[in-house]
Every structure is written in structure tokens, then in C-alpha cells.
Amino acid sequence: MSLQPSPRRRRRGSNFNLGAEQAEADKKILRSAFYRSDDYISIADKDEHHCFLIARTGSGKSAALQQLEEEFPGHVVRINPEDLSLPYITSSRVIQYLDELNVSLDPLFSALWKHVLLVELIRHRYKVDSPAVKVNVMTALREKIKRDSGKRAALDYLEQFQDRFWDETDQRIKEITEKFEQRIDQEAKGRIGLPGQVSATLGKSSGGVSSTESRIELASKFQRIVNETQMARLNKMIKVLDEDILTNRHNFTYVVIDDLDRDWVDERLLNGLIRCLLKAVLDLQRNKNLKVIVALRTNIFEQLDFGHRGGGQEEKFRSLVLRMRWTPVELEELVGERLRVATADIGPQMHSIRDVLPRINRTRGDAFEYMLRRTLMRPRDIIAFLNEALANSYGGEQLTWDDIRNAEEEYSRKRLLALRDEWKTNYPEIDRVFHLFEGVTLPLVQSDFVHILEQAIAHPSFTIDWLNELTARVWNYSEGTWVDWYGPLIALLYNIGFIGCLTGSRSEFRFAHDSPEFAERARSLESVTHFTIHPAFQLGLDTRQDNSWR
């Protein structure tokens, strides 16, 4: 009886990797190697109340929403911001003018969102794709609710759109916006006395009308028009949706809204649009067979001004937030799933990243932990690092410590660029602050760290609005401590993951991914004795380590 030889591992090709850093862009990975984290299980849970998915770039929120569509075919409605005519709304001269007058546009924006959500849900539930189907659906609904006058009035609202009902979403949004502009035109002509096309006049400046009536009087008149939206009937329509349309678990529907952080929306009005979307979602939550999931980048969510005409609902909004975070175990299992799929065709199949990494030893430690410490604890980071190391190994059967170390500098440089790209919309030229730390010896005591920040504040070429705002107390010579003067800027650098802080009570540096609230308290910063740059960016900035500082 002959013994069968053990299967021999084929040498990996030089292009072997764990798939794209963005899982949603890699159909094979998303289909075969999607990792069901605890956060994803919460997203998919029909009875779980968290509906605002907040995460940093690269945390996997878009992949999770795509997987939801794969897992529940026919039960997911995806609303793409590109189809909502948001640029059309925000570029409207009337909208811009009313915003300039400080007229609250929240009633209009809330009505637009509710209209979009309701119509898309009805279209999806009854597969409305033609005038005939729409007539049949409306006839059946009218018969069902004929004894409720309020519900009948709600259906009358939908009947206003008649031929537009089955059109693309952007056409319906444009029609609502145009009708609103016409009402503003009529008000301006009838009560203010402006000639010609008022919307064009309003868009130029407030000077042409402020001589007729004061800005306050104008704002009051226009505010009344904004407030006279179809909100009552829309709210009644939400009740129809709950009681007469999505009536059982078989009809359960997810609504997914992602990519609201694209640059194509006027940033000035973005705050109001997103805030009103969240308010609309709150109102729809009463429906037990509906779950609306809105995904937002952390930086967009944190800049929303809930207090500004927000109705004091900030606590309610935040109670519905699910912040995507990853544990070391989850990240190791995620890359293990990817490795399983990546090695399926080259054999033998591997299931653990430990099969590729050098073994743990007393001198060099655990290779996976080493790599993980150089990430912001996000899937994209660890996948990027491993792919860089795999490419650097030129197809060898197993990674070596030299492969990892040789890959680290390029990985670090790319992560620094990614950090800049993630935050440059909120903080233009933030990379100039990063590069002030190029070549420094780490860690830095508090006085040395502050001295570097002073270079940015005092340098004549650093005329950056957000930087001046964060350091206003320095320029105003306000009384206080170094935390009062530099705390806001330090908190920013900590919160985005660029720096870590060491206090006298700890032996390890804190970073935002494991202590996210640390920099929000002045007393926390007052206890900091040393600062460091996150290990993900150290080689990209060519920093040095002072190994004798302890």
C-alpha cells in the first residue's frame, strides 16, 4: 500500500493579493469572502433600531450595504444621491437666496425626502412602472382606505404627480422644486412688487428687494411659503404606508442611502439636506416592516449642526447611530476569509493569515499584531498593508519579516495621502500640518509638540481659515493654559487618527480608534505627558524613535 504524497503548495504569482481594498469594487470578494461582523449583523437585523451607519473611510460601510442587497434580493431599495437632483436643488437661485435671508428651508427639504422615500417604496412594493399599473394601485388603495378621510387626502397628494409618478426620481424632485420656485415668484410679484422673472432677480443679490421691505419682513413672508408644504398629508401617507402597504414581514423592506458625502453637493446647504433626511427617517421609524439605513462618513456626521433649527433632537439622532468599529479578532477573520478565496484556485486552500505570515518568535513578536498596530483598525488599512507585503515578496510561498518591513514605507506613505484625501474637504491643506512633523524624533514631550504647532500658527503662509479658527485663542491673547490655546487643534489631530497621547497613568499611547472620546475633555489633554505620530504614518514622515526615553 503506497502512501499518497502530501499536497504541495504551488508558488504564488507575483500578482497574488487579497483583493481590492474597497470590497464593494471587488465583486468576487464581496460575493465569496464577505465577513459578517457584529456590525453587519446589526445592520441586517430587522428589529435592531440603529439606522444611521457612521464610519470612517475604509471601514466597510458601503460593502456592508451592498451585501445587504445580495442577501435580501427584492427587499432592498437603494436611493442613489446622483438620482435625487441635489445639485439642481442647491444651485437654485431661489433656494440660495432664501438661505441668504436666513429662511429655514427644513420644511421644504423634509418634504422632499419624505416624498422621495414614500414614492420609491410604493413603486417598489407594487412594481409601478407604467400609467396602467399606477392607476390600478391607486384604485386598490382608495378602496382600502375609503372610510378614512385623512388617508384619502394623503393619496390625493400623490395623484398630483399623475404622469410623473413612474418617472425617474430626479424628474419628480425637479418638478416639486420648480413649483416651489413658482410660488416664491408669485409672492414676490404680488406682495413685494418685483417685475419680470423674480427667481432670476432674487438670485443676484438682496439689494434689489431690501429697499422695498426689510430683510426680516421678507424672510417672514417667504418663511410662511416654505412652511406651507404638504407635510400634513405626507405624514398621513406615512401612516398609510404602515397600515395599508407594508403590512407584514413578507413585505419587509430595507431602504439604503449611501454616498451622500460626494463633493457634487453645495457644501453650504449639505448640512440642512442631510439633517432633514435624518429627521425624515425618524418619522418613518414607526413602520415595523421598514428599515431605512443612511450611511455617512464620520467627518460629515460630526459637522451636522443639530442645534441649528434641529428642534433639539440631537440626543435622539445620536441614539440611533451605529458607529462601525473593528476588533483585532474580526480583522484577522476578515483577511482569513479573503485568503481562503484568493488561494482557492492555486491550492492548497488556506484559511488563516497566519499561514502566510512569519511565525511568532520572542525576538520579533507577532507579525499580524505588528501590522495591525500600523493601521487605524479598518479593513482597508490591513488589506493594503498585506497586499503591499505580498507584492514585495515577489511570489514567495511565505512572507518574511523583511518583506513586511520593506513594504511598510510605501504603505505608510500611501496611508498618509489617504488621510489627507479623507479630510481635505473639511480641512483644506491639512497635509501641510502633517508635514511639520517630518523627520522628528518620537515621542515628543508636550512643550516640543506645542512648539511644532506654533510653527503652523505663526508661519505667514499658513493662512488657512479652519486653522485660524481652531487657534483663535492664541491670536486673541486669551488667558488660559496651553490646552485652552492649542486643545482644539490637538483634538482634531487626535480624532482623525494622526497622533496618539500618553498620560502619566498609562504605559501605552492612546489612539482615537481605541479611545475615541479621549481628546474631547480638557482634563484629559491636561494629563498628557507625551505625543507621538500614529505608527501608520511614521515611515511616511521619516520619523525617528528615541528608544531610551522611558
Side-chain angles (χ1 to χ4, degrees), residues 39 55-60 324-332 334 368-369 371-383 411 415 497 511-515 534 536-537:
D39 284 340
R56 293 281 299 269
T57 296
S59 296
M324 289 190 75
R325 294 197 178 102
W326 293 80
T327 66
V329 171
E330 287 179 325
L331 289 172
E332 183 170 350
L334 179 145
F368 187 74
E369 288 184 5
M371 299 181 82
L372 210 55
R373 283 196 300 271
R374 283 148 182 79
T375 74
L376 300 186
M377 295 300 291
R378 302 178 297 190
R380 187 173 299 176
D381 297 337
I382 188 63
I383 291 165
Y411 160 80
R415 287 302 92 197
F511 295 98
H513 52 70
D514 56 24
S515 298
H534 193 287
F537 314 115

Side-chain angles (χ1 to χ4, degrees), residues 105-122:
L105 294 166
D106 283 14
L108 173 65
F109 291 161
S110 294
L112 285 171
W113 282 119
K114 287 183 179 180
H115 174 88
V116 167
L117 291 166
L118 285 166
V119 172
E120 291 305 311
L121 282 164
I122 294 171

